[in-house]
PDB file of all heavy atoms in Angstrom:
ATOM      1  N   ARG A   8      -2.237   4.696   2.659  1.00 97.00           N
ATOM      2  CA  ARG A   8      -2.165   4.520   4.120  1.00 97.00           C
ATOM      3  C   ARG A   8      -2.792   5.703   4.848  1.00 97.00           C
ATOM      4  O   ARG A   8      -3.517   5.525   5.833  1.00 97.00           O
ATOM      5  CB  ARG A   8      -0.722   4.312   4.580  1.00 97.00           C
ATOM      6  CG  ARG A   8      -0.155   2.960   4.170  1.00 97.00           C
ATOM      7  CD  ARG A   8       1.113   2.586   4.899  1.00 97.00           C
ATOM      8  NE  ARG A   8       2.211   3.503   4.643  1.00 97.00           N
ATOM      9  CZ  ARG A   8       2.917   4.130   5.588  1.00 97.00           C
ATOM     10  NH1 ARG A   8       2.642   3.956   6.861  1.00 97.00           N
ATOM     11  NH2 ARG A   8       3.901   4.935   5.267  1.00 97.00           N
ATOM     12  N   ILE A   9      -2.524   6.915   4.361  1.00 98.00           N
ATOM     13  CA  ILE A   9      -3.120   8.099   4.972  1.00 98.00           C
ATOM     14  C   ILE A   9      -4.641   8.041   4.844  1.00 98.00           C
ATOM     15  O   ILE A   9      -5.370   8.263   5.815  1.00 98.00           O
ATOM     16  CB  ILE A   9      -2.560   9.392   4.333  1.00 98.00           C
ATOM     17  CG1 ILE A   9      -1.075   9.560   4.696  1.00 98.00           C
ATOM     18  CG2 ILE A   9      -3.363  10.615   4.769  1.00 98.00           C
ATOM     19  CD1 ILE A   9      -0.347  10.631   3.885  1.00 98.00           C
ATOM     20  N   VAL A  12      -6.152   5.569   7.322  1.00 98.00           N
ATOM     21  CA  VAL A  12      -6.221   6.095   8.690  1.00 98.00           C
ATOM     22  C   VAL A  12      -7.403   7.052   8.804  1.00 98.00           C
ATOM     23  O   VAL A  12      -8.169   6.997   9.771  1.00 98.00           O
ATOM     24  CB  VAL A  12      -4.899   6.790   9.088  1.00 98.00           C
ATOM     25  CG1 VAL A  12      -5.055   7.579  10.382  1.00 98.00           C
ATOM     26  CG2 VAL A  12      -3.780   5.780   9.231  1.00 98.00           C
ATOM     27  N   LEU A  13      -7.562   7.915   7.816  1.00 97.00           N
ATOM     28  CA  LEU A  13      -8.664   8.885   7.847  1.00 97.00           C
ATOM     29  C   LEU A  13     -10.022   8.201   7.750  1.00 97.00           C
ATOM     30  O   LEU A  13     -10.991   8.663   8.367  1.00 97.00           O
ATOM     31  CB  LEU A  13      -8.494   9.909   6.724  1.00 97.00           C
ATOM     32  CG  LEU A  13      -7.267  10.811   6.846  1.00 97.00           C
ATOM     33  CD1 LEU A  13      -7.133  11.694   5.610  1.00 97.00           C
ATOM     34  CD2 LEU A  13      -7.310  11.645   8.119  1.00 97.00           C
ATOM     35  N   HIS A  16     -10.726   6.422  11.374  1.00 96.00           N
ATOM     36  CA  HIS A  16     -10.898   7.242  12.577  1.00 96.00           C
ATOM     37  C   HIS A  16     -11.579   8.562  12.219  1.00 96.00           C
ATOM     38  O   HIS A  16     -11.118   9.271  11.328  1.00 96.00           O
ATOM     39  CB  HIS A  16      -9.535   7.539  13.215  1.00 96.00           C
ATOM     40  CG  HIS A  16      -8.757   6.319  13.555  1.00 96.00           C
ATOM     41  ND1 HIS A  16      -9.031   5.552  14.671  1.00 96.00           N
ATOM     42  CD2 HIS A  16      -7.746   5.697  12.908  1.00 96.00           C
ATOM     43  CE1 HIS A  16      -8.192   4.533  14.697  1.00 96.00           C
ATOM     44  NE2 HIS A  16      -7.415   4.588  13.638  1.00 96.00           N
ATOM     45  N   MET A  18     -11.706  11.387  13.867  1.00 97.00           N
ATOM     46  CA  MET A  18     -10.916  12.568  14.201  1.00 97.00           C
ATOM     47  C   MET A  18      -9.464  12.137  14.335  1.00 97.00           C
ATOM     48  O   MET A  18      -9.141  11.277  15.156  1.00 97.00           O
ATOM     49  CB  MET A  18     -11.425  13.203  15.499  1.00 97.00           C
ATOM     50  CG  MET A  18     -10.773  14.530  15.820  1.00 97.00           C
ATOM     51  SD  MET A  18     -11.458  15.334  17.301  1.00 97.00           S
ATOM     52  CE  MET A  18     -13.013  15.953  16.679  1.00 97.00           C
ATOM     53  N   VAL A  19      -8.586  12.718  13.504  1.00 98.00           N
ATOM     54  CA  VAL A  19      -7.184  12.325  13.473  1.00 98.00           C
ATOM     55  C   VAL A  19      -6.311  13.567  13.591  1.00 98.00           C
ATOM     56  O   VAL A  19      -6.500  14.544  12.854  1.00 98.00           O
ATOM     57  CB  VAL A  19      -6.820  11.581  12.167  1.00 98.00           C
ATOM     58  CG1 VAL A  19      -5.350  11.179  12.156  1.00 98.00           C
ATOM     59  CG2 VAL A  19      -7.707  10.357  11.968  1.00 98.00           C
ATOM     60  N   LEU A  20      -5.351  13.504  14.497  1.00 98.00           N
ATOM     61  CA  LEU A  20      -4.343  14.551  14.627  1.00 98.00           C
ATOM     62  C   LEU A  20      -3.002  13.966  14.213  1.00 98.00           C
ATOM     63  O   LEU A  20      -2.482  13.065  14.871  1.00 98.00           O
ATOM     64  CB  LEU A  20      -4.269  15.072  16.066  1.00 98.00           C
ATOM     65  CG  LEU A  20      -3.267  16.201  16.304  1.00 98.00           C
ATOM     66  CD1 LEU A  20      -3.700  17.467  15.549  1.00 98.00           C
ATOM     67  CD2 LEU A  20      -3.118  16.485  17.788  1.00 98.00           C
ATOM     68  N   PHE A  21      -2.475  14.437  13.096  1.00 98.00           N
ATOM     69  CA  PHE A  21      -1.121  14.086  12.677  1.00 98.00           C
ATOM     70  C   PHE A  21      -0.214  15.075  13.385  1.00 98.00           C
ATOM     71  O   PHE A  21      -0.338  16.291  13.188  1.00 98.00           O
ATOM     72  CB  PHE A  21      -0.969  14.199  11.158  1.00 98.00           C
ATOM     73  CG  PHE A  21      -1.714  13.139  10.390  1.00 98.00           C
ATOM     74  CD1 PHE A  21      -3.013  13.358   9.975  1.00 98.00           C
ATOM     75  CD2 PHE A  21      -1.111  11.936  10.082  1.00 98.00           C
ATOM     76  CE1 PHE A  21      -3.709  12.398   9.255  1.00 98.00           C
ATOM     77  CE2 PHE A  21      -1.801  10.954   9.365  1.00 98.00           C
ATOM     78  CZ  PHE A  21      -3.091  11.195   8.959  1.00 98.00           C
ATOM     79  N   MET A  22       0.677  14.559  14.216  1.00 98.00           N
ATOM     80  CA  MET A  22       1.470  15.433  15.071  1.00 98.00           C
ATOM     81  C   MET A  22       2.895  14.921  15.221  1.00 98.00           C
ATOM     82  O   MET A  22       3.187  13.771  14.872  1.00 98.00           O
ATOM     83  CB  MET A  22       0.812  15.553  16.442  1.00 98.00           C
ATOM     84  CG  MET A  22       0.730  14.237  17.220  1.00 98.00           C
ATOM     85  SD  MET A  22      -0.108  14.391  18.822  1.00 98.00           S
ATOM     86  CE  MET A  22       1.044  15.397  19.755  1.00 98.00           C
ATOM     87  N   LYS A  23       3.742  15.771  15.748  1.00 98.00           N
ATOM     88  CA  LYS A  23       5.113  15.363  16.080  1.00 98.00           C
ATOM     89  C   LYS A  23       5.072  14.852  17.520  1.00 98.00           C
ATOM     90  O   LYS A  23       4.811  15.618  18.445  1.00 98.00           O
ATOM     91  CB  LYS A  23       6.076  16.531  15.939  1.00 98.00           C
ATOM     92  CG  LYS A  23       6.254  16.975  14.498  1.00 98.00           C
ATOM     93  CD  LYS A  23       7.216  18.137  14.399  1.00 98.00           C
ATOM     94  CE  LYS A  23       7.387  18.559  12.959  1.00 98.00           C
ATOM     95  NZ  LYS A  23       8.262  19.752  12.855  1.00 98.00           N
ATOM     96  N   GLY A  24       5.303  13.572  17.678  1.00 98.00           N
ATOM     97  CA  GLY A  24       5.211  12.933  18.988  1.00 98.00           C
ATOM     98  C   GLY A  24       3.833  12.366  19.219  1.00 98.00           C
ATOM     99  O   GLY A  24       3.088  12.088  18.275  1.00 98.00           O
ATOM    100  N   THR A  25       3.507  12.216  20.489  1.00 97.00           N
ATOM    101  CA  THR A  25       2.199  11.680  20.880  1.00 97.00           C
ATOM    102  C   THR A  25       1.533  12.673  21.825  1.00 97.00           C
ATOM    103  O   THR A  25       2.209  13.564  22.357  1.00 97.00           O
ATOM    104  CB  THR A  25       2.362  10.330  21.607  1.00 97.00           C
ATOM    105  OG1 THR A  25       3.055  10.575  22.853  1.00 97.00           O
ATOM    106  CG2 THR A  25       3.151   9.325  20.775  1.00 97.00           C
ATOM    107  N   PRO A  26       0.234  12.544  22.070  1.00 97.00           N
ATOM    108  CA  PRO A  26      -0.405  13.460  23.021  1.00 97.00           C
ATOM    109  C   PRO A  26       0.254  13.416  24.406  1.00 97.00           C
ATOM    110  O   PRO A  26       0.359  14.435  25.078  1.00 97.00           O
ATOM    111  CB  PRO A  26      -1.856  12.961  23.081  1.00 97.00           C
ATOM    112  CG  PRO A  26      -2.079  12.337  21.746  1.00 97.00           C
ATOM    113  CD  PRO A  26      -0.753  11.685  21.406  1.00 97.00           C
ATOM    114  N   SER A  34       2.377  20.907  18.375  1.00 98.00           N
ATOM    115  CA  SER A  34       1.659  19.634  18.540  1.00 98.00           C
ATOM    116  C   SER A  34       1.104  19.510  19.947  1.00 98.00           C
ATOM    117  O   SER A  34      -0.022  19.048  20.138  1.00 98.00           O
ATOM    118  CB  SER A  34       2.601  18.465  18.214  1.00 98.00           C
ATOM    119  OG  SER A  34       2.888  18.410  16.837  1.00 98.00           O
ATOM    120  N   PHE A  48      -9.808  11.471  19.917  1.00 96.00           N
ATOM    121  CA  PHE A  48      -9.124  11.540  18.636  1.00 96.00           C
ATOM    122  C   PHE A  48      -8.012  10.501  18.545  1.00 96.00           C
ATOM    123  O   PHE A  48      -7.499  10.029  19.551  1.00 96.00           O
ATOM    124  CB  PHE A  48      -8.566  12.944  18.388  1.00 96.00           C
ATOM    125  CG  PHE A  48      -7.491  13.379  19.371  1.00 96.00           C
ATOM    126  CD1 PHE A  48      -6.150  13.268  19.056  1.00 96.00           C
ATOM    127  CD2 PHE A  48      -7.840  13.907  20.610  1.00 96.00           C
ATOM    128  CE1 PHE A  48      -5.168  13.665  19.950  1.00 96.00           C
ATOM    129  CE2 PHE A  48      -6.867  14.302  21.516  1.00 96.00           C
ATOM    130  CZ  PHE A  48      -5.519  14.188  21.184  1.00 96.00           C
ATOM    131  N   HIS A  49      -7.671  10.172  17.322  1.00 97.00           N
ATOM    132  CA  HIS A  49      -6.571   9.257  17.036  1.00 97.00           C
ATOM    133  C   HIS A  49      -5.367  10.122  16.670  1.00 97.00           C
ATOM    134  O   HIS A  49      -5.484  11.015  15.832  1.00 97.00           O
ATOM    135  CB  HIS A  49      -6.945   8.329  15.883  1.00 97.00           C
ATOM    136  CG  HIS A  49      -5.839   7.410  15.468  1.00 97.00           C
ATOM    137  ND1 HIS A  49      -5.464   6.322  16.232  1.00 97.00           N
ATOM    138  CD2 HIS A  49      -5.023   7.418  14.389  1.00 97.00           C
ATOM    139  CE1 HIS A  49      -4.474   5.699  15.616  1.00 97.00           C
ATOM    140  NE2 HIS A  49      -4.178   6.344  14.503  1.00 97.00           N
ATOM    141  N   ALA A  50      -4.241   9.866  17.293  1.00 98.00           N
ATOM    142  CA  ALA A  50      -3.028  10.620  16.996  1.00 98.00           C
ATOM    143  C   ALA A  50      -2.067   9.762  16.186  1.00 98.00           C
ATOM    144  O   ALA A  50      -1.916   8.568  16.448  1.00 98.00           O
ATOM    145  CB  ALA A  50      -2.357  11.069  18.292  1.00 98.00           C
ATOM    146  N   VAL A  51      -1.453  10.386  15.191  1.00 98.00           N
ATOM    147  CA  VAL A  51      -0.425   9.728  14.379  1.00 98.00           C
ATOM    148  C   VAL A  51       0.861  10.506  14.580  1.00 98.00           C
ATOM    149  O   VAL A  51       0.930  11.713  14.315  1.00 98.00           O
ATOM    150  CB  VAL A  51      -0.809   9.725  12.880  1.00 98.00           C
ATOM    151  CG1 VAL A  51       0.323   9.149  12.044  1.00 98.00           C
ATOM    152  CG2 VAL A  51      -2.096   8.943  12.662  1.00 98.00           C
ATOM    153  N   ASN A  52       1.887   9.804  15.065  1.00 98.00           N
ATOM    154  CA  ASN A  52       3.203  10.407  15.295  1.00 98.00           C
ATOM    155  C   ASN A  52       3.976  10.398  13.982  1.00 98.00           C
ATOM    156  O   ASN A  52       4.495   9.362  13.564  1.00 98.00           O
ATOM    157  CB  ASN A  52       3.945   9.618  16.375  1.00 98.00           C
ATOM    158  CG  ASN A  52       5.330  10.160  16.642  1.00 98.00           C
ATOM    159  OD1 ASN A  52       5.766  11.132  16.036  1.00 98.00           O
ATOM    160  ND2 ASN A  52       6.033   9.528  17.560  1.00 98.00           N
ATOM    161  N   VAL A  53       4.057  11.559  13.332  1.00 98.00           N
ATOM    162  CA  VAL A  53       4.741  11.618  12.040  1.00 98.00           C
ATOM    163  C   VAL A  53       6.255  11.454  12.183  1.00 98.00           C
ATOM    164  O   VAL A  53       6.921  11.111  11.215  1.00 98.00           O
ATOM    165  CB  VAL A  53       4.406  12.916  11.262  1.00 98.00           C
ATOM    166  CG1 VAL A  53       2.925  12.983  10.950  1.00 98.00           C
ATOM    167  CG2 VAL A  53       4.876  14.161  11.999  1.00 98.00           C
ATOM    168  N   GLN A  54       6.771  11.648  13.389  1.00 97.00           N
ATOM    169  CA  GLN A  54       8.203  11.430  13.623  1.00 97.00           C
ATOM    170  C   GLN A  54       8.548   9.944  13.481  1.00 97.00           C
ATOM    171  O   GLN A  54       9.651   9.599  13.096  1.00 97.00           O
ATOM    172  CB  GLN A  54       8.613  11.906  15.012  1.00 97.00           C
ATOM    173  CG  GLN A  54       8.363  13.374  15.281  1.00 97.00           C
ATOM    174  CD  GLN A  54       9.325  14.282  14.548  1.00 97.00           C
ATOM    175  OE1 GLN A  54       9.169  14.511  13.350  1.00 97.00           O
ATOM    176  NE2 GLN A  54      10.299  14.784  15.258  1.00 97.00           N
ATOM    177  N   ALA A  55       7.585   9.084  13.790  1.00 97.00           N
ATOM    178  CA  ALA A  55       7.811   7.640  13.737  1.00 97.00           C
ATOM    179  C   ALA A  55       7.576   7.069  12.339  1.00 97.00           C
ATOM    180  O   ALA A  55       7.869   5.897  12.108  1.00 97.00           O
ATOM    181  CB  ALA A  55       6.904   6.938  14.738  1.00 97.00           C
ATOM    182  N   ASP A  56       7.041   7.872  11.419  1.00 96.00           N
ATOM    183  CA  ASP A  56       6.756   7.394  10.063  1.00 96.00           C
ATOM    184  C   ASP A  56       7.206   8.450   9.052  1.00 96.00           C
ATOM    185  O   ASP A  56       6.419   9.304   8.641  1.00 96.00           O
ATOM    186  CB  ASP A  56       5.265   7.102   9.900  1.00 96.00           C
ATOM    187  CG  ASP A  56       4.953   6.309   8.642  1.00 96.00           C
ATOM    188  OD1 ASP A  56       5.724   6.412   7.663  1.00 96.00           O
ATOM    189  OD2 ASP A  56       3.936   5.608   8.636  1.00 96.00           O
ATOM    190  N   VAL A  59       4.970   9.164   5.922  1.00 97.00           N
ATOM    191  CA  VAL A  59       3.783   9.976   6.173  1.00 97.00           C
ATOM    192  C   VAL A  59       4.189  11.431   6.399  1.00 97.00           C
ATOM    193  O   VAL A  59       3.560  12.353   5.868  1.00 97.00           O
ATOM    194  CB  VAL A  59       2.965   9.437   7.371  1.00 97.00           C
ATOM    195  CG1 VAL A  59       1.881  10.422   7.797  1.00 97.00           C
ATOM    196  CG2 VAL A  59       2.354   8.091   7.021  1.00 97.00           C
ATOM    197  N   ARG A  60       5.257  11.639   7.140  1.00 97.00           N
ATOM    198  CA  ARG A  60       5.730  12.999   7.409  1.00 97.00           C
ATOM    199  C   ARG A  60       6.057  13.727   6.108  1.00 97.00           C
ATOM    200  O   ARG A  60       5.767  14.914   5.959  1.00 97.00           O
ATOM    201  CB  ARG A  60       6.939  12.974   8.332  1.00 97.00           C
ATOM    202  CG  ARG A  60       7.405  14.361   8.708  1.00 97.00           C
ATOM    203  CD  ARG A  60       8.539  14.344   9.678  1.00 97.00           C
ATOM    204  NE  ARG A  60       8.881  15.718  10.030  1.00 97.00           N
ATOM    205  CZ  ARG A  60       9.910  16.032  10.761  1.00 97.00           C
ATOM    206  NH1 ARG A  60      10.708  15.102  11.233  1.00 97.00           N
ATOM    207  NH2 ARG A  60      10.165  17.289  11.034  1.00 97.00           N
ATOM    208  N   LEU A  63       2.318  13.854   3.769  1.00 97.00           N
ATOM    209  CA  LEU A  63       1.100  14.521   4.237  1.00 97.00           C
ATOM    210  C   LEU A  63       0.998  15.993   3.826  1.00 97.00           C
ATOM    211  O   LEU A  63      -0.092  16.426   3.438  1.00 97.00           O
ATOM    212  CB  LEU A  63       0.946  14.365   5.750  1.00 97.00           C
ATOM    213  CG  LEU A  63      -0.429  14.731   6.289  1.00 97.00           C
ATOM    214  CD1 LEU A  63      -1.510  13.824   5.719  1.00 97.00           C
ATOM    215  CD2 LEU A  63      -0.449  14.659   7.799  1.00 97.00           C
ATOM    216  N   PHE A  72       3.003  20.807  10.616  1.00 97.00           N
ATOM    217  CA  PHE A  72       2.370  19.924  11.591  1.00 97.00           C
ATOM    218  C   PHE A  72       2.178  20.709  12.873  1.00 97.00           C
ATOM    219  O   PHE A  72       2.978  21.584  13.170  1.00 97.00           O
ATOM    220  CB  PHE A  72       3.251  18.687  11.847  1.00 97.00           C
ATOM    221  CG  PHE A  72       3.370  17.816  10.635  1.00 97.00           C
ATOM    222  CD1 PHE A  72       4.499  17.886   9.825  1.00 97.00           C
ATOM    223  CD2 PHE A  72       2.356  16.948  10.278  1.00 97.00           C
ATOM    224  CE1 PHE A  72       4.601  17.095   8.701  1.00 97.00           C
ATOM    225  CE2 PHE A  72       2.452  16.160   9.148  1.00 97.00           C
ATOM    226  CZ  PHE A  72       3.587  16.233   8.357  1.00 97.00           C
ATOM    227  N   PRO A  73       1.132  20.386  13.612  1.00 98.00           N
ATOM    228  CA  PRO A  73       0.158  19.306  13.449  1.00 98.00           C
ATOM    229  C   PRO A  73      -0.879  19.625  12.375  1.00 98.00           C
ATOM    230  O   PRO A  73      -1.013  20.773  11.935  1.00 98.00           O
ATOM    231  CB  PRO A  73      -0.504  19.234  14.821  1.00 98.00           C
ATOM    232  CG  PRO A  73      -0.442  20.640  15.324  1.00 98.00           C
ATOM    233  CD  PRO A  73       0.867  21.190  14.816  1.00 98.00           C
ATOM    234  N   GLN A  74      -1.626  18.571  11.999  1.00 98.00           N
ATOM    235  CA  GLN A  74      -2.746  18.695  11.072  1.00 98.00           C
ATOM    236  C   GLN A  74      -3.913  17.909  11.646  1.00 98.00           C
ATOM    237  O   GLN A  74      -3.781  16.728  11.921  1.00 98.00           O
ATOM    238  CB  GLN A  74      -2.393  18.144   9.692  1.00 98.00           C
ATOM    239  CG  GLN A  74      -1.313  18.915   8.971  1.00 98.00           C
ATOM    240  CD  GLN A  74      -1.040  18.382   7.586  1.00 98.00           C
ATOM    241  OE1 GLN A  74      -1.835  17.660   7.013  1.00 98.00           O
ATOM    242  NE2 GLN A  74       0.115  18.764   7.038  1.00 98.00           N
ATOM    243  N   PHE A  76      -7.686  16.421  11.126  1.00 98.00           N
ATOM    244  CA  PHE A  76      -8.708  16.016  10.164  1.00 98.00           C
ATOM    245  C   PHE A  76      -9.931  15.546  10.934  1.00 98.00           C
ATOM    246  O   PHE A  76      -9.799  14.828  11.924  1.00 98.00           O
ATOM    247  CB  PHE A  76      -8.214  14.849   9.300  1.00 98.00           C
ATOM    248  CG  PHE A  76      -7.177  15.210   8.285  1.00 98.00           C
ATOM    249  CD1 PHE A  76      -5.851  15.409   8.653  1.00 98.00           C
ATOM    250  CD2 PHE A  76      -7.520  15.343   6.951  1.00 98.00           C
ATOM    251  CE1 PHE A  76      -4.891  15.730   7.724  1.00 98.00           C
ATOM    252  CE2 PHE A  76      -6.561  15.671   6.002  1.00 98.00           C
ATOM    253  CZ  PHE A  76      -5.245  15.865   6.383  1.00 98.00           C
TER     254      PHE A  76
END
Side-chain angles (χ1 to χ4, degrees):
R8 289 195 298 126
I9 292 168
V12 168
L13 295 175
H16 303 282
M18 187 176 284
V19 180
L20 182 66
F21 290 91
M22 63 182 292
K23 293 180 179 176
T25 66
S34 290
F48 64 98
H49 177 73
V51 175
N52 179 0
V53 298
Q54 300 287 78
D56 193 333
V59 169
R60 184 176 183 187
L63 194 62
F72 294 100
Q74 295 183 18
F76 287 78

